[in-house]
Amino acid sequence: MSFLGSLSRSMSRAPRPPRRSTTPTSATFPSNSTESLPSPSPTSAQPATPKPLYLCSPFVEAALVKGNFKTIVMQPKYTDIMEWVAVNIFEFYQNLNQFYGVLAECCTQQSCPAMSAGPQYVPSRIPRGYFLTQNPRLNYTWINQDRKSVQLPAPTYIDYVMTWVQNLLDDENAFPTKSGRDFPSNFPSTVKHVYRQLLRVFAHLYHAHYPQILHLRSEPHFNSLFAHFLAFGKEYELLDVKDIKGQSGAVVGVGALWERWKEMGILEQ
Ligand SMILES: [Zn+2]
């Protein structure tokens, strides 16, 4: 059995984290408790949402690659930039798809009825305390064929993303692999779009499935993959950070992880 196969098998025996217990595990993964949060009320003083585990030591430092990612994202000499971007996107997609393949059995319509990347309600500070405000930006919607924005369960959303990216990668007109074939003029906008959707998949897995990633002891691998993805996206201006910003404009969810890694010197400022 392959490494990923055995991980998958061990995950099927993983107990699901209990709801609303006082242990750090469930307290820091709001996906399991969002629906039981009280309605937003300006008078109810609430403590700040606990920090997600992926921002806590030692998990935030866990990595396969030590040091700054700048060197591994630099375009090698004599390589066409489009070729370099295409190869890297292919690698990010393949790696993320493998992770998702292992985590997919935990990402169901029941566990993840929305494609979320953060708590639906976030605490906002007001002079007399906290109140909870809705944070709809971290619930990603899918644009369907009629150009309508629709809410989908996370597994459906991710399936759409992965199938769409796979089809693009297989399309010789979109991602040419044969020598002498030019990249299409819309290649930069296509890869930006791909990057945006892959970022959402990363964001959902960090937000909703970090307990499973820890259970598999895969956090060094997953962190390194994501840090590489962020470093590459920053270098080639492929990242769209509005998906990881809260209502106040501050970064939230995996955006906070990005900020933390910048402070730690893992990623460029
Ligand atoms: Zn999920």
Short mmCIF file of all heavy atoms in Angstrom, two decimals, residues 156-196:
data_model
loop_
_atom_site.label_atom_id
_atom_site.label_comp_id
_atom_site.label_asym_id
_atom_site.label_seq_id
_atom_site.Cartn_x
_atom_site.Cartn_y
_atom_site.Cartn_z
N THR A 156 -18.17 19.54 -2.84
CA THR A 156 -18.62 19.79 -4.22
C THR A 156 -17.78 20.90 -4.83
O THR A 156 -17.30 20.80 -5.97
CB THR A 156 -20.11 20.22 -4.21
OG1 THR A 156 -20.84 19.28 -3.44
CG2 THR A 156 -20.68 20.30 -5.61
N TYR A 157 -17.59 21.95 -4.05
CA TYR A 157 -16.80 23.09 -4.54
C TYR A 157 -15.39 22.63 -4.92
O TYR A 157 -14.89 22.94 -6.00
CB TYR A 157 -16.74 24.16 -3.43
CG TYR A 157 -16.13 25.47 -3.87
CD1 TYR A 157 -16.93 26.61 -4.04
CD2 TYR A 157 -14.76 25.59 -4.10
CE1 TYR A 157 -16.38 27.82 -4.44
CE2 TYR A 157 -14.21 26.79 -4.51
CZ TYR A 157 -15.02 27.90 -4.68
OH TYR A 157 -14.45 29.09 -5.08
N ILE A 158 -14.76 21.88 -4.01
CA ILE A 158 -13.37 21.46 -4.26
C ILE A 158 -13.31 20.51 -5.46
O ILE A 158 -12.39 20.58 -6.28
CB ILE A 158 -12.76 20.84 -2.99
CG1 ILE A 158 -12.65 21.92 -1.90
CG2 ILE A 158 -11.38 20.23 -3.28
CD1 ILE A 158 -12.18 21.44 -0.55
N ASP A 159 -14.31 19.66 -5.58
CA ASP A 159 -14.36 18.76 -6.72
C ASP A 159 -14.44 19.56 -8.02
O ASP A 159 -13.75 19.25 -9.00
CB ASP A 159 -15.57 17.82 -6.57
CG ASP A 159 -15.61 16.79 -7.69
OD1 ASP A 159 -14.54 16.26 -8.03
OD2 ASP A 159 -16.70 16.54 -8.23
N TYR A 160 -15.26 20.61 -8.03
CA TYR A 160 -15.37 21.46 -9.23
C TYR A 160 -14.02 22.10 -9.55
O TYR A 160 -13.60 22.15 -10.70
CB TYR A 160 -16.41 22.57 -9.00
CG TYR A 160 -17.85 22.14 -9.11
CD1 TYR A 160 -18.21 20.80 -9.25
CD2 TYR A 160 -18.88 23.08 -9.06
CE1 TYR A 160 -19.54 20.43 -9.35
CE2 TYR A 160 -20.22 22.71 -9.16
CZ TYR A 160 -20.54 21.38 -9.29
OH TYR A 160 -21.85 21.02 -9.38
N VAL A 161 -13.35 22.63 -8.48
CA VAL A 161 -12.05 23.29 -8.69
C VAL A 161 -11.04 22.30 -9.27
O VAL A 161 -10.39 22.58 -10.28
CB VAL A 161 -11.50 23.87 -7.37
CG1 VAL A 161 -10.05 24.31 -7.53
CG2 VAL A 161 -12.35 25.05 -6.90
N MET A 162 -10.93 21.14 -8.62
CA MET A 162 -9.90 20.19 -9.03
C MET A 162 -10.17 19.66 -10.44
O MET A 162 -9.23 19.46 -11.22
CB MET A 162 -9.79 19.04 -8.02
CG MET A 162 -9.31 19.49 -6.64
SD MET A 162 -7.94 20.67 -6.73
CE MET A 162 -6.92 20.17 -5.38
N THR A 163 -11.42 19.42 -10.76
CA THR A 163 -11.75 18.93 -12.10
C THR A 163 -11.46 20.00 -13.15
O THR A 163 -10.88 19.72 -14.20
CB THR A 163 -13.25 18.53 -12.16
OG1 THR A 163 -13.49 17.60 -11.12
CG2 THR A 163 -13.63 17.93 -13.50
N TRP A 164 -11.82 21.23 -12.81
CA TRP A 164 -11.59 22.35 -13.74
C TRP A 164 -10.08 22.53 -13.99
O TRP A 164 -9.65 22.66 -15.14
CB TRP A 164 -12.21 23.61 -13.13
CG TRP A 164 -11.88 24.87 -13.85
CD1 TRP A 164 -12.30 25.24 -15.10
CD2 TRP A 164 -11.06 25.94 -13.36
NE1 TRP A 164 -11.77 26.48 -15.41
CE2 TRP A 164 -11.02 26.93 -14.36
CE3 TRP A 164 -10.36 26.17 -12.17
CZ2 TRP A 164 -10.30 28.12 -14.22
CZ3 TRP A 164 -9.66 27.35 -12.02
CH2 TRP A 164 -9.63 28.31 -13.03
N VAL A 165 -9.28 22.49 -12.91
CA VAL A 165 -7.83 22.68 -13.08
C VAL A 165 -7.23 21.51 -13.85
O VAL A 165 -6.42 21.69 -14.76
CB VAL A 165 -7.11 22.87 -11.71
CG1 VAL A 165 -5.60 22.99 -11.91
CG2 VAL A 165 -7.64 24.10 -10.99
N GLN A 166 -7.66 20.28 -13.53
CA GLN A 166 -7.14 19.11 -14.24
C GLN A 166 -7.43 19.22 -15.74
O GLN A 166 -6.56 18.96 -16.57
CB GLN A 166 -7.77 17.83 -13.66
CG GLN A 166 -7.28 16.55 -14.31
CD GLN A 166 -5.83 16.22 -13.92
OE1 GLN A 166 -5.53 16.02 -12.76
NE2 GLN A 166 -4.95 16.19 -14.90
N ASN A 167 -8.64 19.64 -16.08
CA ASN A 167 -9.00 19.78 -17.49
C ASN A 167 -8.16 20.85 -18.18
O ASN A 167 -7.77 20.67 -19.33
CB ASN A 167 -10.50 20.11 -17.64
CG ASN A 167 -11.36 18.90 -17.32
OD1 ASN A 167 -10.88 17.76 -17.36
ND2 ASN A 167 -12.61 19.12 -16.98
N LEU A 168 -7.89 21.94 -17.46
CA LEU A 168 -7.05 22.99 -18.03
C LEU A 168 -5.64 22.47 -18.29
O LEU A 168 -5.05 22.72 -19.34
CB LEU A 168 -6.94 24.16 -17.05
CG LEU A 168 -7.95 25.29 -17.13
CD1 LEU A 168 -7.65 26.32 -16.03
CD2 LEU A 168 -7.91 25.98 -18.48
N LEU A 169 -5.10 21.75 -17.28
CA LEU A 169 -3.74 21.24 -17.41
C LEU A 169 -3.63 20.23 -18.56
O LEU A 169 -2.58 20.11 -19.19
CB LEU A 169 -3.28 20.58 -16.10
CG LEU A 169 -3.06 21.53 -14.91
CD1 LEU A 169 -2.87 20.74 -13.62
CD2 LEU A 169 -1.86 22.44 -15.15
N ASP A 170 -4.72 19.52 -18.80
CA ASP A 170 -4.74 18.53 -19.89
C ASP A 170 -4.99 19.16 -21.26
O ASP A 170 -4.90 18.48 -22.27
CB ASP A 170 -5.86 17.49 -19.64
CG ASP A 170 -5.53 16.59 -18.46
OD1 ASP A 170 -4.36 16.55 -18.05
OD2 ASP A 170 -6.47 15.94 -17.94
N ASP A 171 -5.37 20.44 -21.25
CA ASP A 171 -5.74 21.11 -22.50
C ASP A 171 -4.49 21.73 -23.13
O ASP A 171 -3.93 22.71 -22.61
CB ASP A 171 -6.79 22.19 -22.18
CG ASP A 171 -7.26 22.93 -23.43
OD1 ASP A 171 -6.66 22.72 -24.50
OD2 ASP A 171 -8.22 23.71 -23.31
N GLU A 172 -4.09 21.18 -24.24
CA GLU A 172 -2.85 21.61 -24.90
C GLU A 172 -2.94 23.09 -25.34
O GLU A 172 -1.91 23.76 -25.45
CB GLU A 172 -2.60 20.69 -26.10
CG GLU A 172 -1.26 20.79 -26.75
CD GLU A 172 -0.08 20.40 -25.84
OE1 GLU A 172 -0.28 19.62 -24.88
OE2 GLU A 172 1.02 20.89 -26.11
N ASN A 173 -4.15 23.60 -25.54
CA ASN A 173 -4.29 25.01 -25.93
C ASN A 173 -4.10 25.93 -24.73
O ASN A 173 -3.61 27.05 -24.87
CB ASN A 173 -5.67 25.27 -26.52
CG ASN A 173 -5.82 24.54 -27.83
OD1 ASN A 173 -4.92 24.53 -28.65
ND2 ASN A 173 -6.97 23.90 -28.02
N ALA A 174 -4.50 25.47 -23.54
CA ALA A 174 -4.39 26.32 -22.34
C ALA A 174 -3.01 26.21 -21.70
O ALA A 174 -2.41 27.20 -21.29
CB ALA A 174 -5.46 25.92 -21.32
N PHE A 175 -2.51 24.97 -21.58
CA PHE A 175 -1.19 24.71 -20.99
C PHE A 175 -0.37 23.89 -21.99
O PHE A 175 -0.24 22.67 -21.84
CB PHE A 175 -1.34 23.92 -19.68
CG PHE A 175 -1.60 24.75 -18.46
CD1 PHE A 175 -2.84 25.31 -18.24
CD2 PHE A 175 -0.59 24.97 -17.51
CE1 PHE A 175 -3.09 26.09 -17.12
CE2 PHE A 175 -0.83 25.75 -16.38
CZ PHE A 175 -2.08 26.31 -16.19
N PRO A 176 0.19 24.55 -23.01
CA PRO A 176 0.93 23.78 -24.01
C PRO A 176 2.16 23.09 -23.44
O PRO A 176 2.85 23.67 -22.60
CB PRO A 176 1.33 24.84 -25.05
CG PRO A 176 1.16 26.15 -24.40
CD PRO A 176 0.20 25.99 -23.27
N THR A 177 2.38 21.86 -23.84
CA THR A 177 3.56 21.13 -23.36
C THR A 177 4.51 20.80 -24.51
O THR A 177 5.66 20.46 -24.27
CB THR A 177 3.13 19.79 -22.69
OG1 THR A 177 2.34 19.06 -23.62
CG2 THR A 177 2.35 20.03 -21.42
N LYS A 178 4.00 20.86 -25.73
CA LYS A 178 4.85 20.48 -26.87
C LYS A 178 5.74 21.66 -27.26
O LYS A 178 5.30 22.82 -27.22
CB LYS A 178 3.98 20.06 -28.05
CG LYS A 178 3.13 18.84 -27.73
CD LYS A 178 2.51 18.22 -28.95
CE LYS A 178 1.86 16.91 -28.62
NZ LYS A 178 0.67 17.03 -27.78
N SER A 179 6.98 21.36 -27.64
CA SER A 179 7.91 22.42 -27.98
C SER A 179 7.43 23.16 -29.24
O SER A 179 6.81 22.56 -30.13
CB SER A 179 9.31 21.87 -28.20
OG SER A 179 9.33 21.07 -29.34
N GLY A 180 7.67 24.45 -29.25
CA GLY A 180 7.26 25.25 -30.40
C GLY A 180 5.86 25.79 -30.29
O GLY A 180 5.44 26.61 -31.10
N ARG A 181 5.14 25.33 -29.30
CA ARG A 181 3.76 25.84 -29.15
C ARG A 181 3.76 27.01 -28.20
O ARG A 181 4.35 26.95 -27.11
CB ARG A 181 2.87 24.74 -28.56
CG ARG A 181 2.00 24.10 -29.63
CD ARG A 181 0.90 23.33 -29.03
NE ARG A 181 -0.37 23.95 -29.32
CZ ARG A 181 -1.43 23.27 -29.65
NH1 ARG A 181 -1.37 21.96 -29.73
NH2 ARG A 181 -2.57 23.86 -29.88
N ASP A 182 3.10 28.09 -28.59
CA ASP A 182 3.09 29.29 -27.76
C ASP A 182 2.00 29.19 -26.68
O ASP A 182 0.97 28.55 -26.89
CB ASP A 182 2.82 30.52 -28.62
CG ASP A 182 4.04 30.87 -29.47
OD1 ASP A 182 5.16 30.51 -29.05
OD2 ASP A 182 3.84 31.48 -30.54
N PHE A 183 2.27 29.88 -25.60
CA PHE A 183 1.24 29.98 -24.56
C PHE A 183 0.17 30.96 -25.05
O PHE A 183 0.50 31.95 -25.72
CB PHE A 183 1.86 30.47 -23.25
CG PHE A 183 2.57 29.38 -22.51
CD1 PHE A 183 3.89 29.05 -22.81
CD2 PHE A 183 1.91 28.66 -21.52
CE1 PHE A 183 4.53 28.02 -22.12
CE2 PHE A 183 2.55 27.64 -20.84
CZ PHE A 183 3.86 27.32 -21.14
N PRO A 184 -1.08 30.72 -24.73
CA PRO A 184 -2.13 31.63 -25.21
C PRO A 184 -2.01 32.99 -24.53
O PRO A 184 -1.45 33.11 -23.44
CB PRO A 184 -3.43 30.92 -24.80
CG PRO A 184 -3.05 30.01 -23.69
CD PRO A 184 -1.62 29.63 -23.92
N SER A 185 -2.58 34.00 -25.17
CA SER A 185 -2.45 35.37 -24.63
C SER A 185 -3.17 35.51 -23.29
O SER A 185 -2.82 36.37 -22.50
CB SER A 185 -3.01 36.38 -25.64
OG SER A 185 -4.35 36.06 -25.91
N ASN A 186 -4.17 34.65 -23.06
CA ASN A 186 -4.88 34.77 -21.77
C ASN A 186 -4.25 33.91 -20.67
O ASN A 186 -4.82 33.74 -19.60
CB ASN A 186 -6.36 34.39 -21.95
CG ASN A 186 -6.56 32.92 -22.30
OD1 ASN A 186 -5.59 32.22 -22.62
ND2 ASN A 186 -7.80 32.46 -22.25
N PHE A 187 -3.06 33.36 -20.94
CA PHE A 187 -2.42 32.49 -19.95
C PHE A 187 -2.24 33.18 -18.59
O PHE A 187 -2.58 32.60 -17.55
CB PHE A 187 -1.07 31.98 -20.49
CG PHE A 187 -0.39 31.00 -19.57
CD1 PHE A 187 -0.84 29.68 -19.47
CD2 PHE A 187 0.70 31.38 -18.80
CE1 PHE A 187 -0.22 28.77 -18.62
CE2 PHE A 187 1.32 30.48 -17.94
CZ PHE A 187 0.86 29.17 -17.86
N PRO A 188 -1.75 34.45 -18.55
CA PRO A 188 -1.59 35.10 -17.23
C PRO A 188 -2.91 35.18 -16.45
O PRO A 188 -2.94 34.93 -15.24
CB PRO A 188 -1.05 36.49 -17.59
CG PRO A 188 -0.36 36.31 -18.91
CD PRO A 188 -1.19 35.28 -19.63
N SER A 189 -4.00 35.51 -17.13
CA SER A 189 -5.27 35.61 -16.38
C SER A 189 -5.78 34.22 -15.98
O SER A 189 -6.36 34.04 -14.91
CB SER A 189 -6.31 36.40 -17.16
OG SER A 189 -6.80 35.64 -18.23
N THR A 190 -5.53 33.23 -16.81
CA THR A 190 -5.94 31.86 -16.46
C THR A 190 -5.21 31.40 -15.20
O THR A 190 -5.82 30.86 -14.27
CB THR A 190 -5.63 30.87 -17.62
OG1 THR A 190 -6.28 31.32 -18.78
CG2 THR A 190 -6.06 29.46 -17.28
N VAL A 191 -3.90 31.62 -15.16
CA VAL A 191 -3.15 31.10 -14.00
C VAL A 191 -3.51 31.87 -12.72
O VAL A 191 -3.51 31.31 -11.64
CB VAL A 191 -1.62 31.06 -14.22
CG1 VAL A 191 -1.25 30.02 -15.24
CG2 VAL A 191 -1.04 32.39 -14.56
N LYS A 192 -3.85 33.14 -12.87
CA LYS A 192 -4.30 33.89 -11.69
C LYS A 192 -5.59 33.30 -11.14
O LYS A 192 -5.78 33.18 -9.93
CB LYS A 192 -4.54 35.36 -12.06
CG LYS A 192 -3.37 36.24 -11.74
CD LYS A 192 -3.78 37.70 -11.81
CE LYS A 192 -2.74 38.51 -11.08
NZ LYS A 192 -2.91 39.93 -11.20
N HIS A 193 -6.46 32.94 -12.05
CA HIS A 193 -7.74 32.35 -11.67
C HIS A 193 -7.50 30.99 -10.98
O HIS A 193 -8.10 30.68 -9.96
CB HIS A 193 -8.59 32.21 -12.93
CG HIS A 193 -10.03 32.02 -12.66
ND1 HIS A 193 -10.98 32.09 -13.64
CD2 HIS A 193 -10.71 31.76 -11.52
CE1 HIS A 193 -12.17 31.86 -13.11
NE2 HIS A 193 -12.03 31.67 -11.83
N VAL A 194 -6.61 30.20 -11.56
CA VAL A 194 -6.27 28.90 -10.97
C VAL A 194 -5.70 29.12 -9.56
O VAL A 194 -6.09 28.45 -8.60
CB VAL A 194 -5.25 28.14 -11.85
CG1 VAL A 194 -4.66 26.95 -11.11
CG2 VAL A 194 -5.88 27.70 -13.16
N TYR A 195 -4.80 30.08 -9.47
CA TYR A 195 -4.16 30.33 -8.17
C TYR A 195 -5.18 30.72 -7.11
O TYR A 195 -5.12 30.28 -5.97
CB TYR A 195 -3.12 31.46 -8.33
CG TYR A 195 -1.78 31.06 -7.76
CD1 TYR A 195 -0.92 30.25 -8.49
CD2 TYR A 195 -1.39 31.46 -6.49
CE1 TYR A 195 0.29 29.86 -7.96
CE2 TYR A 195 -0.18 31.08 -5.96
CZ TYR A 195 0.67 30.28 -6.70
OH TYR A 195 1.87 29.87 -6.17
N ARG A 196 -6.12 31.54 -7.50
CA ARG A 196 -7.15 32.00 -6.57
C ARG A 196 -7.95 30.80 -6.03
O ARG A 196 -8.22 30.70 -4.84
CB ARG A 196 -8.08 32.96 -7.30
CG ARG A 196 -9.15 33.49 -6.43
CD ARG A 196 -10.05 34.41 -7.22
NE ARG A 196 -10.82 35.20 -6.30
CZ ARG A 196 -11.95 35.81 -6.63
NH1 ARG A 196 -12.41 35.74 -7.84
NH2 ARG A 196 -12.61 36.49 -5.73
#
